[in-house]
Amino acid sequence: MRGNTLSGRRKMFGWTAVAFIAAVIILCGTIHIFASSGDSRPYNRYYTSVRVEEGDTVWSIADRYIADSQVSKRDYVDEICRLNSLTDGNVRTGDYIVVSYYSQDIK
């Protein structure tokens, strides 16, 4: 009789452990889904005119406007050159150039 009681307790412990582990896995999955969803609004590309200040280069301008883009810095600089017909990538103080920037706001 005592053997049946011990065996029943082991089974109950086993099922309790399995239920606990399953609950932890489900909870972790739920937390991961909510944490990764975040703000899933898309980024929109916009264009603006920028005045070239003393000491600016296309690379330094790219540093200011590349935020929130999925583009590499090199590709972004190439885009600035293409948009402004810059064959050598040089800009002059006082010139205005067009750059793109990214925002989740709809403008």
Side-chain angles (χ1 to χ4, degrees), residues 20 27-28 31 34 38 45 52 54 56 60 67 76 82 86 88 90-91 96 98 104:
F20 178 75
L27 180 64
C28 289
I31 290 171
F34 284 112
R45 181 189 296 200
V52 178
E54 188 172 338
D56 277 348
S60 65
Y76 192 83
R82 184 179 46 77
L86 302 173
D88 57 5
N90 290 328
V91 290
Y96 284 87
V98 175
Q104 287 182 316

Side-chain angles (χ1 to χ4, degrees), residues 1 7 17 31 34 36 42 49 54-55 69 73 87 93:
M1 187 83 171
S7 177
I31 290 171
F34 284 112
S36 64
S49 178
E54 188 172 338
S69 79
K73 190 172 178 182
T87 55
T93 302

Side-chain angles (χ1 to χ4, degrees), residues 54-69:
E54 188 172 338
D56 277 348
T57 65
V58 289
W59 291 91
S60 65
I61 294 169
D63 283 335
R64 288 195 301 263
Y65 289 93
I66 197 170
D68 298 324
S69 79

Side-chain angles (χ1 to χ4, degrees), residues 28-89:
C28 289
T30 303
I31 290 171
H32 176 71
I33 288 170
F34 284 112
S36 64
S37 65
D39 190 358
S40 60
R41 294 180 301 159
Y43 281 91
N44 302 299
R45 181 189 296 200
Y46 297 100
Y47 297 89
T48 189
S49 178
V50 175
R51 186 173 190 271
V52 178
E53 301 296 329
E54 188 172 338
D56 277 348
T57 65
V58 289
W59 291 91
S60 65
I61 294 169
D63 283 335
R64 288 195 301 263
Y65 289 93
I66 197 170
D68 298 324
S69 79
Q70 300 293 321
V71 180
S72 73
K73 190 172 178 182
R74 177 71 205 165
D75 289 342
Y76 192 83
V77 167
D78 288 345
E79 179 185 14
I80 291 173
C81 290
R82 184 179 46 77
L83 286 171
N84 296 282
S85 301
L86 302 173
T87 55
D88 57 5

Side-chain angles (χ1 to χ4, degrees), residues 5-24:
T5 305
L6 190 56
S7 177
R9 286 183 187 162
R10 285 184 183 155
K11 284 183 183 178
M12 183 60 116
F13 177 76
W15 284 111
T16 304
V18 168
F20 178 75
I21 291 170
V24 169

